[in-house]
Amino acid sequence: DTGVSQDPRHKITKRGQNVTFRCDPISEHNRLYWYRQTLGQGPEFLTYFQNEAQLEKSRLLSDRFSAERPKGSFSTLEIQRTEQGDSAMYLCASSLALRGREQYFGPGTRLTVT
Amino acid sequence: TQLLEQSPQFLSIQEGENLTVYCNSSSVFSSLQWYRQEPGEGPVLLVTVVTGGEVKKLKRLTFQFGDARKDSSLHITAAQPGDTGLYLCAKPNFGNEKLTFGTGTRLTIIP
């Protein structure tokens, strides 16, 4: 078990560019969550998947954001036309879909929009 | 949105001292989790408390859930530099288990 991995770890992009992040969950975990964390704050929920189905999206997830989990394994989070306000740490977590099961977090992707 | 307020926001103390940080809400929780996050890493779960008045110990860390299940505290005895990090409380949402995090306490232990 290698844990949750995220790629890239850091991304610097210019305003207006598109970026895509990848998350590989723990292999047997059927739930996958995305969170965003800005400096000095706790993480905020963005969206989650159970298998390949995206079951909930936060109001934080504007129409410039899209997430997929096509085969119920890895997931991607794409941000189109990035804005400076998108600068944050994007965290992925996975768990089993059972009540009370722990979420395991990846190391995050730190996005800086210049 | 249910807010979880943590205090203090920042805490810097000498190695060997004791400290307590708090997590408060106006609403009742079914359960509460505490996480520690180190720079450049994701949060790591320390403990889950479920029952009002519950006390759990993890080595030098003592977690308490308030009797009314609206607040929680984390007490660290004889703090060590390895305790440095961002301490977050979080409420799991019933059903989908998504987490609502508090504002965090950034703890620095000075050797």
Side-chain angles (χ1 to χ4, degrees):
Chain A
D1 182 357
T2 56
V4 179
S5 61
Q6 293 187 244
D7 183 69
R9 294 290 306 272
H10 303 275
K11 178 71 177 179
I12 300 173
T13 192
K14 292 187 177 181
R15 190 174 50 192
Q17 297 295 305
N18 300 342
V19 294
T20 300
F21 310 140
R22 176 177 170 127
C23 171
D24 286 272
I26 293 172
S27 58
E28 65 268 26
H29 285 181
N30 48 5
R31 277 196 180 156
L32 187 149
Y33 302 80
W34 285 99
Y35 295 85
R36 181 172 70 187
Q37 185 176 25
T38 52
L39 206 59
Q41 300 294 320
E44 295 175 292
F45 170 78
L46 292 178
T47 188
Y48 92 101
F49 294 83
Q50 184 154 321
N51 301 311
E52 66 275 9
Q54 187 174 18
L55 297 185
E56 185 174 341
K57 293 194 291 187
S58 162
R59 290 175 210 166
L60 294 174
L61 216 63
S62 76
D63 56 5
R64 297 184 296 104
F65 288 70
S66 62
E68 294 183 344
R69 195 183 184 198
K71 298 182 180 178
S73 56
F74 73 92
S75 175
T76 58
L77 178 67
E78 181 184 14
I79 309 175
Q80 296 182 328
R81 304 181 304 281
T82 52
E83 301 173 356
Q84 286 187 321
D86 297 330
S87 295
M89 173 79 88
Y90 290 84
L91 293 163
C92 174
S94 71
S95 74
L96 291 171
L98 294 172
R99 173 107 177 100
R101 286 305 176 110
E102 176 182 353
Q103 290 185 29
Y104 292 83
F105 282 83
T109 294
R110 179 163 297 284
L111 173 66
T112 303
V113 182
T114 62
Chain B
T1 301
Q2 179 173 302
L3 294 177
L4 292 173
E5 295 188 4
Q6 293 189 241
S7 61
Q9 188 176 359
F10 298 96
L11 183 58
S12 182
I13 64 170
Q14 295 287 337
E15 181 178 358
E17 293 185 354
N18 302 333
L19 66 107
T20 303
V21 299
Y22 301 92
C23 174
N24 294 286
S25 173
S26 57
S27 302
V28 174
F29 306 131
S30 57
S31 66
L32 188 82
Q33 297 179 336
W34 282 93
Y35 289 80
R36 181 169 69 207
Q37 185 178 20
E38 298 186 17
E41 300 296 329
V44 175
L45 179 66
L46 297 173
V47 77
T48 301
V49 287
V50 178
T51 307
E54 182 177 6
V55 176
K56 282 192 173 179
K57 292 193 174 184
L58 187 67
K59 297 184 180 177
R60 293 176 295 101
L61 279 59
T62 302
F63 303 86
Q64 184 158 8
F65 202 13
D67 291 340
R69 293 187 289 128
K70 290 184 177 183
D71 56 88
S72 182
S73 63
L74 160 58
H75 182 80
I76 301 179
T77 303
Q80 298 178 0
D83 297 326
T84 293
L86 178 66
Y87 287 82
L88 296 158
C89 62
K91 168 194 165 295
N93 189 63
F94 183 82
N96 59 22
E97 307 297 308
K98 72 178 183 183
L99 297 169
T100 300
F101 283 90
T103 49
T105 292
R106 188 163 298 280
L107 176 64
T108 302
I109 308 302
I110 303 165

